[in-house]
PDB file of all heavy atoms in Angstrom:
ATOM      1  N   ALA A 519      -6.513  91.101  25.222  1.00 98.00           N
ATOM      2  CA  ALA A 519      -7.932  91.276  24.916  1.00 98.00           C
ATOM      3  C   ALA A 519      -8.603  92.217  25.910  1.00 98.00           C
ATOM      4  O   ALA A 519      -9.415  93.073  25.529  1.00 98.00           O
ATOM      5  CB  ALA A 519      -8.641  89.920  24.911  1.00 98.00           C
ATOM      6  N   GLU A 520      -8.254  92.101  27.180  1.00 98.00           N
ATOM      7  CA  GLU A 520      -8.833  92.980  28.205  1.00 98.00           C
ATOM      8  C   GLU A 520      -8.359  94.418  28.027  1.00 98.00           C
ATOM      9  O   GLU A 520      -9.117  95.372  28.252  1.00 98.00           O
ATOM     10  CB  GLU A 520      -8.481  92.472  29.597  1.00 98.00           C
ATOM     11  CG  GLU A 520      -9.266  91.254  30.034  1.00 98.00           C
ATOM     12  CD  GLU A 520     -10.762  91.529  30.126  1.00 98.00           C
ATOM     13  OE1 GLU A 520     -11.135  92.619  30.627  1.00 98.00           O
ATOM     14  OE2 GLU A 520     -11.554  90.679  29.698  1.00 98.00           O
ATOM     15  N   ILE A 521      -7.108  94.592  27.627  1.00 98.00           N
ATOM     16  CA  ILE A 521      -6.585  95.943  27.390  1.00 98.00           C
ATOM     17  C   ILE A 521      -7.335  96.594  26.227  1.00 98.00           C
ATOM     18  O   ILE A 521      -7.732  97.764  26.295  1.00 98.00           O
ATOM     19  CB  ILE A 521      -5.071  95.887  27.121  1.00 98.00           C
ATOM     20  CG1 ILE A 521      -4.327  95.523  28.409  1.00 98.00           C
ATOM     21  CG2 ILE A 521      -4.558  97.222  26.576  1.00 98.00           C
ATOM     22  CD1 ILE A 521      -2.866  95.179  28.211  1.00 98.00           C
ATOM     23  N   ILE A 522      -7.531  95.843  25.149  1.00 98.00           N
ATOM     24  CA  ILE A 522      -8.291  96.366  24.013  1.00 98.00           C
ATOM     25  C   ILE A 522      -9.726  96.670  24.436  1.00 98.00           C
ATOM     26  O   ILE A 522     -10.271  97.736  24.109  1.00 98.00           O
ATOM     27  CB  ILE A 522      -8.264  95.358  22.850  1.00 98.00           C
ATOM     28  CG1 ILE A 522      -6.839  95.200  22.310  1.00 98.00           C
ATOM     29  CG2 ILE A 522      -9.197  95.804  21.724  1.00 98.00           C
ATOM     30  CD1 ILE A 522      -6.671  94.054  21.330  1.00 98.00           C
ATOM     31  N   LYS A 523     -10.329  95.767  25.156  1.00 98.00           N
ATOM     32  CA  LYS A 523     -11.699  95.974  25.642  1.00 98.00           C
ATOM     33  C   LYS A 523     -11.799  97.242  26.478  1.00 98.00           C
ATOM     34  O   LYS A 523     -12.815  97.952  26.449  1.00 98.00           O
ATOM     35  CB  LYS A 523     -12.128  94.760  26.470  1.00 98.00           C
ATOM     36  CG  LYS A 523     -13.497  94.880  27.109  1.00 98.00           C
ATOM     37  CD  LYS A 523     -13.778  93.694  28.018  1.00 98.00           C
ATOM     38  CE  LYS A 523     -15.055  93.889  28.808  1.00 98.00           C
ATOM     39  NZ  LYS A 523     -15.266  92.782  29.793  1.00 98.00           N
ATOM     40  N   GLY A 524     -10.755  97.566  27.218  1.00 97.00           N
ATOM     41  CA  GLY A 524     -10.745  98.748  28.070  1.00 97.00           C
ATOM     42  C   GLY A 524     -10.509 100.048  27.322  1.00 97.00           C
ATOM     43  O   GLY A 524     -10.511 101.125  27.933  1.00 97.00           O
ATOM     44  N   GLY A 525     -10.295  99.969  26.007  1.00 97.00           N
ATOM     45  CA  GLY A 525     -10.176 101.178  25.201  1.00 97.00           C
ATOM     46  C   GLY A 525      -8.768 101.602  24.848  1.00 97.00           C
ATOM     47  O   GLY A 525      -8.583 102.638  24.201  1.00 97.00           O
ATOM     48  N   GLU A 526      -7.764 100.821  25.235  1.00 97.00           N
ATOM     49  CA  GLU A 526      -6.385 101.169  24.910  1.00 97.00           C
ATOM     50  C   GLU A 526      -5.927 100.424  23.657  1.00 97.00           C
ATOM     51  O   GLU A 526      -6.345  99.296  23.419  1.00 97.00           O
ATOM     52  CB  GLU A 526      -5.453 100.803  26.066  1.00 97.00           C
ATOM     53  CG  GLU A 526      -5.641 101.603  27.326  1.00 97.00           C
ATOM     54  CD  GLU A 526      -4.589 101.247  28.353  1.00 97.00           C
ATOM     55  OE1 GLU A 526      -4.750 100.214  29.035  1.00 97.00           O
ATOM     56  OE2 GLU A 526      -3.598 101.995  28.452  1.00 97.00           O
ATOM     57  N   PRO A 527      -5.037 101.033  22.882  1.00 97.00           N
ATOM     58  CA  PRO A 527      -4.478 100.319  21.737  1.00 97.00           C
ATOM     59  C   PRO A 527      -3.399  99.327  22.171  1.00 97.00           C
ATOM     60  O   PRO A 527      -2.723  99.532  23.180  1.00 97.00           O
ATOM     61  CB  PRO A 527      -3.881 101.426  20.876  1.00 97.00           C
ATOM     62  CG  PRO A 527      -3.536 102.518  21.843  1.00 97.00           C
ATOM     63  CD  PRO A 527      -4.581 102.432  22.936  1.00 97.00           C
ATOM     64  N   VAL A 528      -3.250  98.275  21.391  1.00 98.00           N
ATOM     65  CA  VAL A 528      -2.184  97.289  21.575  1.00 98.00           C
ATOM     66  C   VAL A 528      -1.313  97.308  20.325  1.00 98.00           C
ATOM     67  O   VAL A 528      -1.815  97.145  19.205  1.00 98.00           O
ATOM     68  CB  VAL A 528      -2.762  95.882  21.795  1.00 98.00           C
ATOM     69  CG1 VAL A 528      -1.673  94.815  21.622  1.00 98.00           C
ATOM     70  CG2 VAL A 528      -3.387  95.767  23.184  1.00 98.00           C
ATOM     71  N   PHE A 529      -0.023  97.507  20.513  1.00 98.00           N
ATOM     72  CA  PHE A 529       0.945  97.482  19.414  1.00 98.00           C
ATOM     73  C   PHE A 529       1.524  96.069  19.374  1.00 98.00           C
ATOM     74  O   PHE A 529       2.260  95.671  20.277  1.00 98.00           O
ATOM     75  CB  PHE A 529       2.034  98.523  19.645  1.00 98.00           C
ATOM     76  CG  PHE A 529       1.550  99.947  19.557  1.00 98.00           C
ATOM     77  CD1 PHE A 529       0.687 100.474  20.499  1.00 98.00           C
ATOM     78  CD2 PHE A 529       1.972 100.767  18.512  1.00 98.00           C
ATOM     79  CE1 PHE A 529       0.235 101.792  20.425  1.00 98.00           C
ATOM     80  CE2 PHE A 529       1.531 102.080  18.420  1.00 98.00           C
ATOM     81  CZ  PHE A 529       0.659 102.598  19.380  1.00 98.00           C
ATOM     82  N   LEU A 530       1.177  95.330  18.334  1.00 98.00           N
ATOM     83  CA  LEU A 530       1.490  93.900  18.288  1.00 98.00           C
ATOM     84  C   LEU A 530       2.641  93.624  17.330  1.00 98.00           C
ATOM     85  O   LEU A 530       2.565  93.883  16.129  1.00 98.00           O
ATOM     86  CB  LEU A 530       0.246  93.118  17.855  1.00 98.00           C
ATOM     87  CG  LEU A 530       0.374  91.591  17.845  1.00 98.00           C
ATOM     88  CD1 LEU A 530       0.664  91.054  19.238  1.00 98.00           C
ATOM     89  CD2 LEU A 530      -0.895  90.962  17.280  1.00 98.00           C
ATOM     90  N   PHE A 531       3.720  93.055  17.887  1.00 98.00           N
ATOM     91  CA  PHE A 531       4.886  92.590  17.129  1.00 98.00           C
ATOM     92  C   PHE A 531       4.989  91.105  17.413  1.00 98.00           C
ATOM     93  O   PHE A 531       5.325  90.701  18.530  1.00 98.00           O
ATOM     94  CB  PHE A 531       6.133  93.341  17.594  1.00 98.00           C
ATOM     95  CG  PHE A 531       7.404  92.981  16.870  1.00 98.00           C
ATOM     96  CD1 PHE A 531       7.937  93.834  15.917  1.00 98.00           C
ATOM     97  CD2 PHE A 531       8.091  91.803  17.158  1.00 98.00           C
ATOM     98  CE1 PHE A 531       9.126  93.521  15.258  1.00 98.00           C
ATOM     99  CE2 PHE A 531       9.261  91.475  16.501  1.00 98.00           C
ATOM    100  CZ  PHE A 531       9.785  92.340  15.551  1.00 98.00           C
ATOM    101  N   GLU A 532       4.686  90.279  16.413  1.00 97.00           N
ATOM    102  CA  GLU A 532       4.597  88.843  16.653  1.00 97.00           C
ATOM    103  C   GLU A 532       5.272  88.070  15.529  1.00 97.00           C
ATOM    104  O   GLU A 532       4.819  88.070  14.384  1.00 97.00           O
ATOM    105  CB  GLU A 532       3.122  88.425  16.752  1.00 97.00           C
ATOM    106  CG  GLU A 532       2.901  86.956  17.062  1.00 97.00           C
ATOM    107  CD  GLU A 532       3.394  86.564  18.457  1.00 97.00           C
ATOM    108  OE1 GLU A 532       3.421  87.434  19.345  1.00 97.00           O
ATOM    109  OE2 GLU A 532       3.755  85.387  18.645  1.00 97.00           O
ATOM    110  N   GLY A 533       6.403  87.417  15.843  1.00 95.00           N
ATOM    111  CA  GLY A 533       7.055  86.544  14.887  1.00 95.00           C
ATOM    112  C   GLY A 533       7.642  87.285  13.692  1.00 95.00           C
ATOM    113  O   GLY A 533       8.045  88.445  13.784  1.00 95.00           O
ATOM    114  N   ARG A 534       7.667  86.598  12.566  1.00 94.00           N
ATOM    115  CA  ARG A 534       8.263  87.144  11.340  1.00 94.00           C
ATOM    116  C   ARG A 534       7.318  88.157  10.710  1.00 94.00           C
ATOM    117  O   ARG A 534       6.098  88.060  10.828  1.00 94.00           O
ATOM    118  CB  ARG A 534       8.557  86.014  10.365  1.00 94.00           C
ATOM    119  CG  ARG A 534       9.534  84.982  10.910  1.00 94.00           C
ATOM    120  CD  ARG A 534       9.655  83.771  10.006  1.00 94.00           C
ATOM    121  NE  ARG A 534      10.270  84.126   8.725  1.00 94.00           N
ATOM    122  CZ  ARG A 534      10.439  83.252   7.740  1.00 94.00           C
ATOM    123  NH1 ARG A 534      10.026  82.001   7.884  1.00 94.00           N
ATOM    124  NH2 ARG A 534      11.005  83.634   6.612  1.00 94.00           N
TER     125      ARG A 534
END
Side-chain angles (χ1 to χ4, degrees):
E520 285 298 318
I521 290 169
I522 295 170
K523 176 186 172 185
E526 293 185 280
V528 165
F529 292 68
L530 184 62
F531 181 104
E532 183 66 27
R534 299 172 66 183

